[in-house]
Amino acid sequence: MRRNTFLLLAAAVLIAAAFPPKIYASSRIAASSAAFIQTPQSVVVDKRVEILQGYLAERNSPLTNEASTFVSEADKYNLDWKLVAAISGVESGFGQNIPSGSYNGWGWGIYGTHRYNFASWQAAISEVSSGLRQNYIDKWGAQDVYGIGRIYAADPNWANKVEHYMQQIDAYYQYRLNTTLSISI
């Protein structure tokens, strides 16, 4: 009986070694980087859009459907993918409190009685992303949200507030990655 059990166990180990299970996992590069998941078809899927969309939806943001625009513009201008969304959180409650019809959830170009309007959320995200890269980072040398804040905002706590939202988005990102990814064995 013992010998049969041993032979059966040995056969199971040999079969398992000959036919290893497929394992799919994610690799997190850095908090501000993309999360890429390898699927069975070896297709790379960027989870940042889905995660940012979920974060914005939980805040009833009119920017929810623009998550892909936030991510693509951040990639285009080499910005942290959470930055422009976080600024909208500080400036307008993620687009909820804006001048009527302006699509301006960033306070962009608004000072005194001057009001600046965008044609759409996509146009706004694109222009703000481009402007942050060209004017604040490239032209004036800002290297982080604090450097941007010294130029962008009159509020001395602006950068702390933006960083707070960026950290919230990142925590949501980390939570969603850790709870929505399954490993098949």
Side-chain angles (χ1 to χ4, degrees), residues 81-105:
W81 65 277
K82 301 174 294 286
L83 177 63
V84 176
I87 293 171
S88 78
V90 172
E91 296 291 338
S92 68
F94 297 101
Q96 294 180 14
N97 304 304
I98 63 170
S100 180
S102 70
Y103 296 101
N104 192 341

Side-chain angles (χ1 to χ4, degrees), residues 88-133:
S88 78
V90 172
E91 296 291 338
S92 68
F94 297 101
Q96 294 180 14
N97 304 304
I98 63 170
S100 180
S102 70
Y103 296 101
N104 192 341
W106 296 267
W108 194 260
I110 296 176
Y111 50 90
T113 58
H114 184 264
R115 177 177 151 166
Y116 190 85
N117 295 336
F118 294 102
S120 65
W121 287 122
Q122 296 91 355
I125 295 165
S126 180
E127 189 169 328
V128 170
S129 298
S130 171
L132 288 171
R133 167 51 63 191

Side-chain angles (χ1 to χ4, degrees), residues 1-128:
M1 180 80 166
R2 268 187 156 175
R3 181 174 162 87
N4 287 343
T5 304
F6 175 75
L7 289 174
L8 187 57
L9 183 59
V13 169
L14 288 173
I15 290 170
F19 303 101
K22 293 181 180 177
I23 298 175
Y24 307 108
S26 71
S27 64
R28 278 184 270 143
I29 300 165
S32 64
S33 304
F36 295 104
I37 290 74
Q38 183 178 0
T39 64
Q41 297 81 21
S42 296
V43 175
V44 176
V45 178
D46 186 346
K47 299 296 278 185
R48 297 175 297 169
V49 171
E50 176 186 327
I51 290 168
L52 183 57
Q53 188 170 33
Y55 177 85
L56 294 169
E58 285 187 9
R59 281 140 191 87
N60 298 313
S61 171
L63 294 162
T64 298
N65 293 331
E66 303 307 326
S68 63
T69 306
F70 280 115
V71 172
S72 65
E73 292 299 308
D75 289 349
K76 180 178 178 180
Y77 293 106
N78 196 27
L79 300 171
D80 186 309
W81 65 277
K82 301 174 294 286
L83 177 63
V84 176
I87 293 171
S88 78
V90 172
E91 296 291 338
S92 68
F94 297 101
Q96 294 180 14
N97 304 304
I98 63 170
S100 180
S102 70
Y103 296 101
N104 192 341
W106 296 267
W108 194 260
I110 296 176
Y111 50 90
T113 58
H114 184 264
R115 177 177 151 166
Y116 190 85
N117 295 336
F118 294 102
S120 65
W121 287 122
Q122 296 91 355
I125 295 165
S126 180
E127 189 169 328
V128 170

